[in-house]
Amino acid sequence: MTQFTGQSAAGRAFRSARQLTLPSYWLGALRKAAYMLGSMLLLILMWEAAHRLSGQSLPGPISTLGVLWSLVSDPFYDYGPNDKGVALQFIASLQRVFAGFLLGALVAIPLGIAMGAVPFCRALFDPIVQVLRPVSPLAWFPIGLAAFQSVGPATIFIIFITSLWPTVVNTAFGVASIPKDHRNVAAVFKFSKWKYLTKVLFPYTLPHILTGLRLSLGIAWMVIVAAEMLSGGTGIGFFVWDSWNALNVERVIAAIALIGVVGLLLDRGFYYLEQRFKYGG
């Protein structure tokens, strides 16, 4: 009888904790939704104010939202090389972004590890990083054209060369900041280089690497619009420039909104990865 009573008490405690947890979860979700709705409302009000202050030369929210709906209601149409749906334009842009971004990551992560772990590499490569990092993305476009003789590879080259620096810097910082106690323990237990890399260096540095990759992907997504304005053909950057040439400012603003939404989704994806792989979490 005592055992049964104990089990009942435990069951009641579990149910009570669950009843407290679920409302807290939903309250948190509702709070986040309210903040998001408030942010969107504030943005629309500022937009409407800018529309009125510009003498209505800048399109307002109502007319632009109508154009936005027309874009997303039929996003996959294809009427030729210069007339494709907005989804096809985003797919083309994302393909270029991820190609350049992944190539940059393949270079940036080993380079950052070498700079953080080996003082000689840091002294040798850090001046190169600091000189090349501030260069404008558009300044690299002629170099890409001269090297590859084609706008497609040149666009990927721009993404590659501009997106690798945050990952290099963050990876090098993460490796250099490994606590001395960690290194001493590895030395006492005579870890091989591979075991030190996989058991100490990489687990500790992974959050820094993910932060660098998150920043790099954000830069890649910003750069692609400017790069495609120069290269033409397909992509969301070309779509924006083509809409401006057609004097359709509503389409330009609608495309900007979609670019922001896609960028937010990419950033949130890496944010959740960061939270998932926190060191010691």
Side-chain angles (χ1 to χ4, degrees):
M1 184 67 181
T2 303
Q3 183 180 3
F4 177 79
T5 304
Q7 289 175 350
S8 300
R12 286 196 299 270
F14 175 78
R15 287 193 296 270
S16 177
R18 187 178 180 184
Q19 288 171 355
L20 290 173
T21 303
L22 288 177
S24 299
Y25 171 80
W26 288 113
L27 283 174
L30 287 173
R31 189 178 296 113
K32 289 181 180 179
Y35 280 127
M36 180 65 70
L37 184 61
S39 297
M40 293 300 101
L41 181 60
L42 179 61
L43 181 60
I44 290 174
L45 290 174
M46 293 169 60
W47 184 358
E48 180 64 27
H51 166 64
R52 295 176 183 273
L53 290 173
S54 68
Q56 299 188 359
S57 61
L58 183 70
I62 296 176
S63 61
T64 305
L65 290 175
V67 173
L68 176 62
W69 173 251
S70 69
L71 292 178
V72 299
S73 61
D74 186 17
F76 291 99
Y77 74 82
D78 188 352
Y79 298 143
N82 296 323
D83 190 10
K84 297 179 182 292
V86 69
L88 298 179
Q89 306 286 8
F90 271 108
I91 290 171
S93 294
L94 287 168
Q95 287 175 342
R96 298 185 184 109
V97 164
F98 279 106
F101 168 74
L102 291 174
L103 287 173
L106 288 175
V107 173
I109 294 173
L111 179 59
I113 290 174
M115 289 176 62
V118 184
F120 170 78
C121 291
R122 186 175 188 86
L124 181 64
F125 290 112
D126 188 65
I128 298 174
V129 172
Q130 300 308 323
V131 168
L132 297 182
R133 188 163 60 94
V135 176
S136 169
L138 299 184
W140 291 107
F141 192 69
I143 305 300
L145 285 176
F148 299 103
Q149 303 294 314
S150 176
V151 294
T155 303
I156 294 174
F157 169 75
I158 296 175
I159 302 299
F160 162 78
I161 198 66
T162 55
S163 68
L164 59 86
W165 308 122
T167 304
V168 170
V169 172
N170 278 273
T171 302
F173 173 79
V175 173
S177 63
I178 294 175
K180 189 175 181 180
D181 290 344
H182 290 46
R183 297 193 295 268
N184 290 339
V185 169
V188 168
F189 285 96
K190 297 181 179 180
F191 281 12
S192 65
K193 290 182 179 180
W194 176 251
K195 190 172 183 179
Y196 175 77
L197 182 69
T198 57
K199 300 297 184 181
V200 177
L201 187 148
F202 191 72
Y204 185 88
T205 311
L206 184 58
H208 298 278
I209 294 174
L210 290 174
T211 299
L213 291 173
R214 180 183 174 189
L215 295 172
S216 292
L217 187 58
I219 289 174
W221 188 238
M222 286 192 296
V223 168
I224 190 63
V225 176
E228 289 175 343
M229 284 181 177
L230 292 177
S231 62
T234 58
I236 194 61
F238 168 75
F239 181 85
V240 170
W241 190 245
D242 188 57
S243 299
W244 168 248
N245 288 332
L247 302 180
N248 194 334
V249 184
E250 288 89 350
R251 277 166 62 99
V252 172
I253 298 176
I256 289 172
L258 293 173
I259 290 168
V261 169
V262 173
L264 176 63
L265 293 175
L266 293 174
D267 182 76
R268 290 296 89 185
F270 261 102
Y271 172 77
Y272 288 123
L273 278 178
E274 284 183 85
Q275 298 305 306
R276 173 65 179 81
F277 291 103
K278 276 186 176 178
Y279 185 74

